[in-house]
Amino acid sequence: MVTDPLSLPASDLAAALRAREVSVLHLAEAALQRVTDVDERVHAFLSVTGGMAREQAEDVDRRLGLGQSLPPAAGIPIAVKDVLAVRGVTATCGSKILESYVPPYDSTAWSRLRAAGAVLVGKTNCDEFAMGSSGENSAYGVTRNPWDLDRVPGGSSSGSAAAVAAGMATWGLGTDTGGSVRQPAALCGVVGLKPTYGLISRYGLIAFASSLDHVGTFTRTTRDAALLLSTLAGVDPKDATSVDQPPADYTQGLDAGVAGMRIGVVKESFAEGVEPGVTDAFRSSIERLMRLGATCEEVSLPNTDYAFSAYYLLAPAECSSNLARYDGVRYGHRTHEPVDDVVELMMKTRGEGFGDEVKRRIILGTYSLSAGYYDAYYGQAQKVRTLVIRDYQRAFERFDVVLSPTSPTTAFRIGERTDDPIKMYLSDIFTIPADLAGVPSISIPCGLDDDGLPVGLQFTGPLLGERQILQAAHAFEQDLGFQLAPPLLAGLAS
Ligand code: GLN
């Protein structure tokens, strides 16, 4: 008998669901009840899709009852970031400008999950158009960290991370352009995977910065990350940038351990500004990996600092172009103010519809792309991007994976960084390089700091090196035995 199905990873639930020890409907109801119990305080969800969830759950129960063999995702409750299209369900992107936008189609990521029988709990809160590191840029209010409700869950995929941490969903989907899956995963004590650029289709992901946008996953364990990736990965004719990889089972080889693995410890991890609690947990993680038989040696990614600056030119440049489509004419919000012409209509609509951070980035991006500055800013940033790619290429000549903290700090207080954009941007100093290079990277919990807040550990691999990072992360996780137990859940069971 399963007493608390919401505390189990999907890899355990799969067996219980198939043995009919717990029904999919019961699991879905438990997740929806958890939302009722805690989401008034956490505010992870922008919409809850109870009707869809029950319908899908009943269908999966029926098929399991008939003895059909279903994929591992069947019956698993999942939370989806509000930048991914689900047909018939509002997709706001955390913005007023898309307040009433209902996509008429499914993103590929969601359609693969739906086909595999996953159960949608709802769409989750995020920084507006995924621009942010704390969730505070959402037009719909902040999401709170289940470990401490006065603190941010990280961002921009704030709601999906918080939902998984609080057991409102077993899995979550997010997007990672500069760190928005791995950083909130770290701050919420869950596993966040950003695969190789193009391994998961971006079709139906409402664009922020197309050359950097990745769909990523939130799970309680690394094994679940591998299961979820196996459901999502693979070429998609609807996304020309998707990688031509056949479907694969990423759980294969997961238990191979780290003995003999060559791990490069990123020297820049010890830079100024990293909290002592993070450094301590990072150092003991290195020791643990060595004890498990890995060799750990220092490696430098010398362009880390410049990666950060390059990202804040390239991402705004791409966003200024991508967000030009919100003009009040084609779809989304249109101003109700009287206007004289179409230019005024666009200006008023965009002025009302976009929040401050989005406007800041559109202005920055438009500036850096303008004729007089293109070479000085955009062109230079693209060159730095090449240098970052070369940093990794050199590192992976010597190492199987490289290791760093995920975030320089643990969860910070709500409001603490809102007046200081640069400080906010620095939250992603360790995650941005992997987005620029498109290489796979995973954050897993590696302990708690003195305030009882989770610390994230980041394994990064070469292009299409998902198996290496999953294998290393899994070995570490098995040995550590981290407990995902945010205080919010004390006394709650499903
Ligand atoms: N925090 C970074 C930003 O604000 C990353 C966002 C993301 O990955 N979507 O751009």
Side-chain angles (χ1 to χ4, degrees):
M1 191 53 213
V2 180
T3 49
D4 184 9
L6 299 180
S7 68
L8 297 178
S11 55
D12 292 349
L13 282 169
L17 291 172
R18 279 157 190 73
R20 312 307 288 145
E21 285 166 21
V22 57
S23 72
V24 178
L25 187 60
H26 175 83
L27 179 60
E29 293 292 1
L32 292 165
Q33 184 59 45
R34 178 65 62 81
V35 175
T36 308
D37 290 341
V38 304
D39 209 38
E40 233 167 77
R41 284 170 284 163
V42 177
H43 190 41
F45 286 93
L46 293 178
S47 52
V48 177
T49 48
M52 263 177 88
R54 290 184 182 100
E55 216 173 283
Q56 173 87 321
E58 280 168 3
D59 184 51
V60 176
D61 271 333
R62 188 182 52 76
R63 284 152 67 194
L64 286 174
L66 292 173
Q68 289 183 12
S69 140
L70 300 181
I76 303 304
I78 183 156
V80 174
K81 185 178 185 179
D82 214 23
V83 297
L84 285 156
V86 171
R87 189 175 51 219
V89 181
T90 315
T92 68
C93 291
S95 181
K96 281 265 174 277
I97 213 152
L98 287 178
E99 196 166 23
S100 50
Y101 172 62
V102 180
Y105 68 107
D106 277 332
S107 54
T108 296
W110 168 245
S111 78
R112 288 187 179 172
L113 278 163
R114 185 169 43 74
V119 172
L120 184 71
V121 179
K123 302 290 299 293
T124 55
N125 199 11
C126 57
D127 287 297
E128 188 174 2
F129 286 102
M131 298 176 198
S133 307
S134 67
E136 292 162 299
N137 294 337
S138 167
Y140 303 99
V142 298
T143 298
R144 291 167 186 274
N145 191 318
W147 291 81
D148 179 345
L149 295 173
D150 293 329
R151 293 177 189 264
V152 304
S156 63
S157 311
S158 319
S160 291
V164 172
M168 294 185 269
T170 307
W171 286 350
L173 287 187
T175 59
D176 194 310
T177 304
S180 283
V181 164
R182 289 161 290 154
Q183 187 256 12
L187 272 47
C188 288
V190 297
V191 174
L193 170 68
K194 177 205 87 76
T196 301
Y197 181 78
L199 190 58
I200 302 178
S201 166
R202 285 183 299 112
Y203 178 75
L205 156 58
I206 299 172
F208 161 14
S210 312
S211 82
L212 294 156
D213 290 343
H214 302 71
V215 176
T217 63
F218 294 98
T219 53
R220 304 172 73 94
T221 63
T222 301
R223 182 177 296 284
D224 269 20
L227 280 175
L228 181 46
L229 180 65
S230 309
T231 312
L232 295 169
V235 69
D236 175 14
K238 293 182 183 136
D239 174 2
T241 64
S242 76
V243 184
D244 195 0
Q245 286 287 305
D249 175 1
Y250 288 92
T251 61
Q252 256 173 27
L254 199 61
D255 294 304
V258 285
M261 199 180 258
R262 299 163 307 163
I263 298 182
V265 176
V266 178
K267 183 175 151 208
E268 290 71 21
S269 306
F270 300 98
E272 227 179 289
V274 182
E275 280 178 0
V278 171
T279 305
D280 289 350
F282 184 56
R283 283 193 202 282
S284 47
S285 300
I286 299 167
E287 279 162 26
R288 182 180 301 276
L289 286 162
M290 287 170 65
R291 203 160 7 89
L292 292 171
T295 58
C296 294
E297 280 170 38
E298 191 177 271
V299 63
S300 177
L301 300 176
N303 291 295
T304 299
D305 271 357
Y306 306 118
F308 168 77
S309 310
Y311 172 84
Y312 277 101
L313 282 162
L314 296 174
E318 292 190 29
C319 104
S320 72
S321 160
N322 273 328
L323 272 58
R325 71 190 67 169
Y326 306 107
D327 55 9
V329 176
R330 284 173 278 196
Y331 52 88
H333 173 73
R334 174 183 299 177
T335 185
H336 299 301
E337 297 291 313
V339 291
D340 289 332
D341 56 26
V342 73
V343 173
E344 206 185 334
L345 172 89
M346 288 179 191
M347 285 174 64
K348 284 225 162 94
T349 296
R350 289 165 69 83
E352 293 167 6
F354 289 136
D356 288 348
E357 182 62 25
V358 171
K359 287 179 189 162
R360 173 161 37 231
R361 298 208 189 186
I362 292 173
I363 292 168
L364 266 173
T366 310
Y367 180 80
S368 68
L369 288 176
S370 57
Y373 298 107
Y374 186 91
D375 287 335
Y377 295 122
Y378 185 80
Q380 287 299 106
Q382 288 290 26
K383 289 181 192 163
V384 171
R385 187 171 191 175
T386 302
L387 295 178
V388 172
I389 293 170
R390 289 194 191 142
D391 278 358
Y392 279 116
Q393 283 170 343
R394 256 192 302 274
F396 293 126
E397 281 167 15
R398 285 174 55 213
F399 298 103
D400 300 309
V401 300
V402 298
L403 189 73
S404 71
T406 309
S407 160
T409 71
T410 53
F412 45 94
R413 289 188 186 283
I414 291 170
E416 194 181 306
R417 297 189 191 170
T418 37
D419 295 333
D420 188 347
I422 303 281
K423 199 160 177 210
M424 185 72 91
Y425 294 170
L426 281 168
S427 312
D428 291 309
I429 184 100
F430 297 139
T431 48
I432 281 172
D435 289 293
L436 286 173
V439 292
S441 189
I442 188 169
S443 175
I444 62 168
C446 67
L448 300 178
D449 72 0
D450 288 345
D451 295 323
L453 299 168
V455 180
L457 178 68
Q458 179 173 251
F459 295 86
T460 301
L463 289 173
L464 297 174
E466 273 73 13
R467 287 179 197 284
Q468 275 129 275
I469 58 170
L470 288 165
Q471 181 186 328
H474 178 68
F476 180 94
E477 178 185 279
Q478 294 294 102
D479 193 63
L480 177 69
F482 178 80
Q483 289 297 321
L484 175 57
L488 173 78
L489 300 186
L492 276 183
S494 52

